Amino acid sequence: MSGEVPERLKRDELDAGFFLGDIRDFDAGAGLAVEGREQLCQVKELARLTYRVVGPPFLAGVIPGRDWTSLAALPWIGTPYASVHDRLLARLFAELGVRHNVVASVDQEASMVAMVRTGVGLSLCRESIALHEQQANGPVIADRVKVDTALSFVCLNARALDPSIAHAFDVIHRVWG
């Protein structure tokens, strides 16, 4: 999971990696000028992604028109902390002062989508996948809510000038612009 990348960088288990979400979940100073403190990670944002809430087809009469607070009470499929889904929802629901009703937990996006299809509960899903699933299998997409995040390439700032890492960033820059 991409949420494991920052910790694995810190433990020197990875040189660099792709990360979904806000790196500040792991490095409070990332992207910010923090007096007396160097940023932990160098971050190259590659793309912005939108996540939508998808639910089982039988909730088609319940989900439309609901906001985050009212959706929180419905059954949800949870994910581990390292998952971007968990980090996005935890931050969002904490800001609203509510908890979402997690009834099952999985660690793979394909499993989440399958559980939505079979009626277990709601889940976050990348918008492109949500739209495809809606057309192919009938899950309902919540119409009033969405959450945006980023796909980034990251490394420890202290290692950014290592030849192989600098080369990787160069290639990433050429491919992603």
Side-chain angles (χ1 to χ4, degrees):
M1 279 180 261
S2 72
E4 295 173 347
V5 169
E7 292 305 318
R8 293 187 70 195
L9 289 171
K10 289 178 194 176
R11 291 192 306 259
D12 224 9
E13 295 173 359
L14 290 176
D15 294 323
F18 292 95
F19 181 77
L20 274 168
D22 190 337
I23 195 70
R24 289 176 292 189
D25 290 342
F26 298 93
D27 177 16
L32 304 173
V34 179
E35 193 172 321
R37 181 171 176 260
E38 184 178 327
Q39 285 179 203
L40 178 65
C41 292
Q42 179 167 326
V43 180
K44 166 69 174 158
E45 186 174 302
L46 306 175
R48 297 296 302 169
L49 301 171
T50 299
Y51 280 79
R52 302 295 298 265
V53 175
V54 293
F58 77 87
L59 291 177
V62 176
I63 293 174
R66 289 197 177 215
D67 62 10
W68 285 112
T69 302
S70 61
L71 288 170
L74 297 173
W76 280 81
I77 300 162
T79 57
Y81 174 73
S83 164
V84 68
H85 300 86
D86 183 74
R87 288 180 280 118
L88 290 170
L89 289 173
R91 175 181 288 143
L92 193 146
F93 287 130
E95 289 172 2
L96 294 171
V98 297
R99 296 181 84 151
H100 61 307
N101 178 26
V102 176
V103 297
S105 187
V106 298
D107 62 359
Q108 297 292 318
E109 193 167 46
S111 299
M112 291 183 303
V113 172
M115 291 178 89
V116 168
R117 274 191 230 130
T118 60
V120 174
L122 307 180
S123 178
L124 273 187
C125 186
R126 279 178 297 181
E127 188 171 53
S128 59
I129 295 171
L131 292 170
H132 171 77
E133 278 297 313
Q134 183 180 44
Q135 289 181 342
N137 300 304
V140 180
I141 299 175
D143 59 345
R144 289 194 50 209
V145 299
K146 63 183 176 180
V147 61
D148 295 316
T149 195
L151 170 66
S152 301
F153 189 68
V154 300
C155 74
L156 290 179
N157 200 39
R159 298 210 39 222
L161 297 178
D162 285 6
S164 61
I165 296 171
H167 182 67
F169 270 93
D170 182 53
V171 169
I172 290 285
H173 180 71
R174 282 188 272 139
V175 171
W176 290 85

